Amino acid sequence: MSLAAYYFCKMCTKSDKKRDEGLEIPQNIEYVRDIRYGENKKYHTLDICWPKKEAGERLPVIISVHGGGYVYGSKEVYQFYAASLAQMGFSVVNFNYRLAPKYKFPAPLEDLNAVIGWLLEHQKEYPVDM
C-alpha cells in the first residue's frame, strides 16, 4: 500500500468513526448480517436489510457499493446508510468486496457480479424485487 493510500485509510477511519458515533440500526429495520456470497472468507460477505412493516412484500432492491477508492471501506462502515435507505422502503444489500492493493482491478466488479448472482439465486428467501 502506498503512503498516500495508508494516510487516506487512516483519515477515513477517523472521520467514519466520528460520523457514526452513537448511531444504531433503527428498531423498525430487519437487518441480516454476514451472509456468504463467495469463497473469500474475509471479503465475500453481505448484509441485507428492509423495513419490518413491509414484511411479505417484494421491495425494490438497492445494492450499496461502498466507497473508499478500492483500498478502504466495508459493509460495516456503511450499515447506517443502508438502514436509512431501508427506512425509505427498499431492500438494501450492503456487501464487502476485495480491496486493493492485494486484489487488482477488476476484482471489485467481479465481486459485484457475484452479489447480483447470489441475489438472483436467493431472491425468494428475502423481500427483494429483482
Side-chain angles (χ1 to χ4, degrees), residues 29-47:
I29 298 300
E30 185 73 34
Y31 209 103
V32 181
R33 296 180 186 276
D34 299 323
I35 302 166
R36 181 143 331 276
Y37 73 88
E39 295 185 17
N40 187 302
K41 291 179 182 179
K42 180 176 180 181
Y43 290 107
H44 288 160
T45 58
L46 62 83
D47 298 344

Side-chain angles (χ1 to χ4, degrees), residues 46-65:
L46 62 83
D47 298 344
I48 185 167
C49 60
W50 62 90
K52 288 180 181 177
K53 70 178 180 176
E54 308 295 340
E57 290 185 43
R58 297 281 171 215
L59 302 172
V61 63
I62 295 174
I63 300 173
S64 175
V65 182

Side-chain angles (χ1 to χ4, degrees), residues 2 4 12-13 21 27 29 36 50 53-54 60 73 77 82 117 124:
S2 71
C12 289
T13 299
E21 190 174 313
Q27 294 295 317
I29 298 300
R36 181 143 331 276
W50 62 90
K53 70 178 180 176
E54 308 295 340
V77 172
K124 293 187 188 322

Side-chain angles (χ1 to χ4, degrees), residues 86-121:
Q87 286 189 302
M88 295 180 210
F90 296 96
S91 287
V92 182
V93 175
N94 186 22
F95 72 103
N96 287 329
Y97 58 81
R98 293 171 290 168
L99 299 175
K102 182 174 182 180
Y103 298 98
K104 306 294 184 215
F105 182 84
L109 296 179
E110 293 167 346
D111 294 350
L112 175 57
N113 284 338
V115 168
I116 293 168
W118 182 92
L119 268 172
L120 289 170
E121 290 176 23

